[in-house]
C-alpha cells in the first residue's frame, strides 16, 4: 500500500516539475526578448569606446590638426599619383571651404545685432568688456567635419564608380575663383563690422613692480 502511495506521489510531482521548467523557459524567453540584441549591444559598446577616445583627444588641438593635415596631404598625393577622382577632390574642397567660412563667421551676425540694441554684440573698443569670439561652427566640430569628410573622400577613391572623367584644370580654376570671391566677401564683412575671428585671450595688465611700491611707501617725504 505504501508503494502504491509513493508511485502516485511521484506521478503527481513529475507534472509539477515539468510545469515549473516550462514556466521558467517562458520567463527566460520573455526577458531575452526585452533585452537588446547582441548586435545592438556590440554597436553600443563600440560607440561608447569611440566617444571615449574622442573625448580624450578633444583638448589636444595641435595633434588633432596635425593628423588631419597629414591625412589631407595623403589624399591629395593619392589623387596626383592615380590621376583620377578629380570630381571627388573638387567636392571635398568645396565642402571644406564652406566649413572654413562657417568657422570664420560669428555665431550672431553683427548686421542683425545692430538693429537690436539689447542683443549681444562684438566689442569694438579696447576699453570695452572682454567677450570671446563665438563662432558659428566651433573649432572641434570644424576639425571633426574636416576629418570625417576626408576619410569618406579617401574611401571613395577605392571605387571606380566615383572616377568620373572630367577636365581637371577647369575645376581648379573654378575652385580658385570661388575661393577668392568668398574670402573677399568675408574680409569685407570683417572690416565693415570691425571684428577678428580669433580670440587671443582676455587682456592682461602688467602689475607694478612690488619693490618700487615698497620703496615709495617706506621712503619718508622730503621736507620743504
Amino acid at each position: 500500500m505504501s508503494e502504491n502511495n509513493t508511485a502516485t506521489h511521484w506521478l503527481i510531482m513529475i507534472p509539477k516539475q515539468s510545469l515549473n521548467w516550462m514556466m521558467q523557459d517562458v520567463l527566460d524567453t520573455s526577458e531575452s526578448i526585452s533585452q537588446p540584441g547582441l548586435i545592438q549591444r556590440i554597436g553600443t559598446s563600440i560607440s561608447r569606446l569611440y566617444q571615449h577616445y574622442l573625448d580624450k583627444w578633444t583638448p589636444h588641438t595641435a595633434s588633432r590638426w596635425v593628423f588631419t593635415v597629414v591625412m589631407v596631404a595623403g589624399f591629395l598625393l593619392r589623387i596626383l599619383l592615380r590621376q583620377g577622382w578629380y570630381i571627388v577632390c573638387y567636392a571635398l574642397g568645396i565642402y571644406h571651404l564652406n566649413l572654413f567660412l562657417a568657422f570664420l563667421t560669428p555665431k550672431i551676425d553683427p548686421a542683425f545685432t545692430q538693429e537690436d540694441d539689447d542683443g549681444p554684440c562684438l566689442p569694438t573698443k579696447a576699453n570695452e568688456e572682454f567677450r570671446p569670439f563665438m563662432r558659428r561652427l566651433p573649432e572641434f566640430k570644424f576639425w571633426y567635419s574636416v576629418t570625417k569628410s576626408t576619410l569618406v573622400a579617401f574611401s571613395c577613391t577605392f571605387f571606380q564608380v566615383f572616377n568620373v572623367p572630367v577636365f581637371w584644370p577647369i575645376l581648379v580654376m573654378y575652385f580658385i575663383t570661388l575661393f577668392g570671391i568668398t574670402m573677399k566677401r568675408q574680409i569685407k564683412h570683417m572690416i565693415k563690422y570691425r571684428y577678428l575671428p580669433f580670440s587671443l585671450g582676455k587682456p592682461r595688465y602688467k602689475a607694478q613692480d612690488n619693490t618700487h611700491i615698497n620703496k615709495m611707501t617706506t621712503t619718508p617725504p622730503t621736507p620743504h
Side-chain angles (χ1 to χ4, degrees):
M1 187 69 182
S2 61
E3 293 180 355
N4 293 331
N5 292 334
T6 304
T8 304
H9 178 72
W10 280 106
L11 288 174
I12 295 173
M13 290 296 297
I14 289 173
K16 289 182 179 180
Q17 291 179 357
S18 61
L19 182 61
N20 292 333
W21 291 340
M22 291 174 64
M23 292 298 295
Q24 187 68 27
D25 293 339
V26 171
L27 292 175
D28 292 342
T29 305
S30 62
E31 290 177 358
S32 63
I33 292 174
S34 61
Q35 293 178 355
L38 179 62
I39 297 177
Q40 184 178 358
R41 283 180 288 176
I42 292 175
T44 303
S45 62
I46 292 175
S47 64
R48 287 178 181 176
L49 185 64
Y50 172 76
Q51 188 65 37
H52 171 71
Y53 283 105
L54 194 65
D55 294 338
K56 289 181 65 176
W57 208 9
T58 301
H60 305 285
T61 307
S63 60
R64 286 191 284 108
W65 281 106
V66 167
F67 171 77
T68 303
V69 169
V70 170
M71 187 166 52
V72 172
F75 170 76
L76 295 177
L77 182 63
R78 177 173 174 80
I79 294 296
L80 293 176
L81 293 178
R82 297 300 301 269
Q83 295 294 317
W85 294 278
Y86 298 115
I87 195 68
V88 176
C89 183
Y90 173 75
L92 181 64
I94 294 297
Y95 182 68
H96 285 182
L97 179 60
N98 291 329
L99 292 175
F100 184 63
L101 289 177
F103 176 73
L104 296 179
T105 305
K107 186 176 182 180
I108 301 175
D109 196 345
F112 298 102
T113 57
Q114 285 186 353
E115 299 177 358
D116 187 9
D117 295 335
D118 297 332
C121 58
L122 295 171
T124 57
K125 297 179 181 179
N127 56 356
E128 288 188 7
E129 182 183 357
F130 174 77
R131 289 187 294 270
F133 183 79
M134 302 296 294
R135 305 181 186 278
R136 191 157 65 100
L137 182 65
E139 182 271 332
F140 182 78
K141 290 185 178 181
F142 176 46
W143 167 82
Y144 185 73
S145 300
V146 169
T147 305
K148 186 170 62 175
S149 60
T150 306
L151 284 175
V152 172
F154 200 94
S155 62
C156 290
T157 58
F158 293 95
F159 300 95
Q160 196 64 28
V161 67
F162 297 106
N163 190 9
V164 180
V166 292
F167 187 60
W168 65 266
I170 295 180
L171 296 180
V172 173
M173 293 301 298
Y174 185 72
F175 178 78
I176 293 175
T177 304
L178 184 62
F179 178 80
I181 293 174
T182 52
M183 291 305 298
K184 181 180 179 180
R185 183 175 58 187
Q186 184 66 27
I187 291 173
K188 284 184 177 180
H189 188 270
M190 293 164 56
I191 294 174
K192 181 179 180 181
Y193 296 103
R194 295 179 294 175
Y195 71 90
L196 289 176
F198 303 102
S199 296
L200 302 178
K202 188 172 183 178
R204 299 178 181 179
Y205 300 97
K206 187 176 181 181
Q208 295 182 0
D209 192 3
N210 294 329
T211 58
H212 179 68
I213 295 175
N214 294 332
K215 186 182 293 185
M216 292 179 61
T217 55
T218 55
T219 303
T222 56
H224 296 285

